[in-house]
Amino acid sequence: MDSKFSAYKGDLMLLMVAVIWGVAVKIGLNDGMPPYFLMACRFFIAFLAMLPFGWQKLMKANKATLKKGMILGVLLFLGFMFQTIGLMFTTTSKNAFLTGVNVVIVPYLAWLLTKKKPDLYSVGAACLSLIGIGLLTLNGVTGINQGDVLTLICAV
């Protein structure tokens, strides 16, 4: 029971951070902060928060691990870059919806990469996720704009 409560507590904390950070980014962009500055702050804060937990492993990492980490870091940066710049040109709710589309894309990307067709359960879950994300985030918003396209690139 205690571990189940801890899992919910952790999920709730992640949700709070996501909501707070999403609102903070939109406010920062609306106040004229450059998107790269916001991302630099975000990554620097994450670096400082994680450093106490991983500095010893970082010092022991070999070149291959560092190279793979750098590649993943660049991909993560590009995803956040597309999302943050997309947020400049679209609403927060559309940005959240389109970013959440990655949940729906995963079974199909896996199909493309592994040649293993998603089962009916995965297709149904993807459709329900898309409907749920839409109901939670879209509020009479229609049309597609430059920010939507950039955010979709982030989702992929």
Side-chain angles (χ1 to χ4, degrees):
M1 176 93 159
D2 187 37
S3 65
K4 195 173 191 178
F5 174 73
S6 295
Y8 288 128
K9 184 178 174 183
D11 289 344
L12 182 62
M13 291 173 68
L14 282 173
L15 178 63
M16 284 181 7
V17 167
V19 169
I20 290 168
W21 187 255
V23 171
V25 168
K26 187 63 175 177
I27 290 170
L29 290 172
N30 287 344
D31 287 345
M33 282 187 181
Y36 296 109
F37 176 75
L38 285 170
M39 287 189 304
C41 290
R42 182 179 197 165
F43 278 76
F44 186 68
I45 290 168
F47 169 75
L48 291 178
M50 296 307 296
L51 191 59
F53 304 103
W55 69 272
Q56 291 175 335
K57 288 183 180 180
L58 181 63
M59 293 298 137
K60 294 178 184 176
N62 59 32
K63 284 185 181 182
T65 301
L66 291 175
K67 182 179 176 182
K68 290 174 185 176
M70 288 171 54
I71 291 169
L72 290 173
V74 167
L75 291 174
L76 181 65
F77 168 79
L78 289 172
F80 278 116
M81 180 190 72
F82 282 114
Q83 182 186 36
T84 304
I85 294 173
L87 189 56
M88 293 173 64
F89 303 106
T90 193
T91 64
T92 306
S93 62
K94 281 179 81 174
N95 188 274
F97 171 77
L98 294 170
T99 300
V101 167
N102 67 17
V103 172
V104 179
I105 294 172
V106 167
Y108 302 103
L109 285 177
W111 182 13
L112 181 70
L113 296 172
T114 66
K115 309 293 187 233
K116 182 181 174 191
K117 188 176 179 180
D119 60 7
L120 193 56
Y121 177 78
S122 296
V123 173
C127 291
L128 285 174
S129 295
L130 186 62
I131 291 167
I133 294 167
L135 289 173
L136 287 171
T137 58
L138 296 179
N139 187 15
V141 181
T142 59
I144 191 163
N145 59 39
Q146 178 184 4
D148 299 338
V149 173
L150 292 170
T151 306
L152 274 172
I153 293 170
C154 161
V156 173

